[in-house]
């Protein structure tokens, strides 16, 4: 693979914004993301600056990108650290220190190339490398109708936990929780 997998740098916020908007323009976006393109485009530069700076260093979150030989960003994943006793994105109580993968995206022309696996390797490795808090597991949520993503997650080693939450705006649909236990 010719891509370099690396953490974003704070000054790269315009590229983070561009990749997120590209993700939200993907035909799979309605079952892959909890945000619309219109919401992302409406966010001010200060939002993207803060988000990128926070994901570039420290131990609360990290965003990894797949950078091609020509400098193109072809994919990304974000790792959020969730500490035991806090509340998660959906309001659920966090039972153990865990990492939460969000914002998974690989450009369509790179799907099936191994790029998603490389991004997940970097994200999971970073999560396991944290000493305080020590992560017990890595989790993610996936829309019940996003079969392609579910297949990849299972292949990577994630398993259904039995937990789910209703999809915002479509309470008849579910986001399924999958987790990867610490080895």
């Amino acid at each position: 693979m010719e891509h370099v997998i690396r953490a974003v740098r704070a000054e790269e916020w315009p590229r983070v914004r561009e990749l997120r908007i590209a993700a939200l323009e993907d035909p799979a976006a309605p079952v892959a993301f909890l945000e619309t393109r219109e919401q992302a485009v409406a966010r001010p530069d200060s939002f993207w600056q803060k988000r990128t700076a926070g994901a570039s260093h420290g131990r609360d979150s990290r965003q990894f990108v797949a950078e091609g030989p020509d400098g193109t960003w072809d994919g990304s994943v974000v790792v959020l650290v969730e500490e035991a006793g806090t509340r998660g994105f959906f309001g659920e109580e966090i039972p153990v220190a865990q990492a939460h993968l969000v914002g998974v995206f690989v450009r369509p022309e790179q799907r099936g190339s191994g790029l998603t696996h490389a991004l997940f390797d970097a994200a999971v490795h970073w999560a396991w490398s944290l000493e305080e808090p020590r992560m017990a597991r890595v989790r993610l949520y996936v829309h019940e109708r996003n079969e392609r993503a579910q297949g990849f997650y299972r292949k990577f080693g994630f398993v259904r936990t039995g937990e789910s939450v209703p999809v915002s705006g479509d309470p008849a649909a579910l986001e399924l929780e999958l987790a990867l236990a610490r080895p």
Side-chain angles (χ1 to χ4, degrees):
M1 185 175 71
E2 297 180 7
H3 285 79
V4 172
I5 307 300
R6 65 170 180 82
V8 298
R9 294 183 284 270
E11 66 273 10
E12 295 177 316
W13 66 267
R15 297 186 78 189
V16 168
R17 180 182 185 273
E18 181 277 324
L19 189 62
R20 179 63 174 182
I21 291 169
L24 295 169
E25 291 171 344
D26 188 275
V31 295
F33 303 108
L34 301 177
E35 176 182 41
T36 66
R37 180 191 184 284
E38 292 71 29
Q39 290 168 322
V41 168
R43 295 187 189 282
D45 290 350
S46 59
F47 169 86
W48 297 103
Q49 292 162 351
K50 182 178 179 183
R51 177 186 243 181
T52 306
S56 68
H57 66 282
R59 64 156 214 73
D60 293 334
S61 67
R62 190 63 45 98
Q63 182 173 3
F64 293 94
V65 293
E67 186 173 24
D70 62 355
T72 302
W73 284 10
D74 286 321
S76 177
V77 63
V78 178
V79 187
L80 305 175
V81 172
E82 298 176 322
E83 297 201 35
T86 63
R87 295 270 173 202
F89 183 81
F90 296 109
E92 74 284 13
E93 185 172 336
I94 305 300
V96 296
Q98 61 190 13
H100 187 163
L101 303 185
V102 299
V104 178
F105 175 68
V106 171
R107 293 188 192 270
E109 62 272 16
Q110 293 295 331
R111 293 178 188 158
S113 70
L115 212 53
T116 310
H117 197 280
L119 284 162
F120 269 57
D121 277 343
V124 170
H125 176 76
W126 182 78
W128 295 155
S129 77
L130 295 173
E131 294 180 14
E132 190 58 38
R134 189 173 197 278
M135 302 292 113
R137 69 183 193 154
V138 176
R139 75 169 180 163
L140 53 80
Y141 281 92
V142 61
H143 195 288
E144 65 185 345
R145 292 192 305 261
N146 194 342
E147 292 295 329
R148 181 179 177 91
Q150 286 185 56
F152 169 78
Y153 301 148
R154 283 192 303 272
K155 185 176 177 182
F156 194 87
F158 283 83
V159 296
R160 295 258 324 258
T161 66
E163 298 295 322
S164 63
V165 295
V167 172
S168 177
D170 185 6
L174 295 173
E175 290 278 340
L176 310 173
E177 183 188 57
L178 283 75
L180 179 67
R182 186 177 196 96

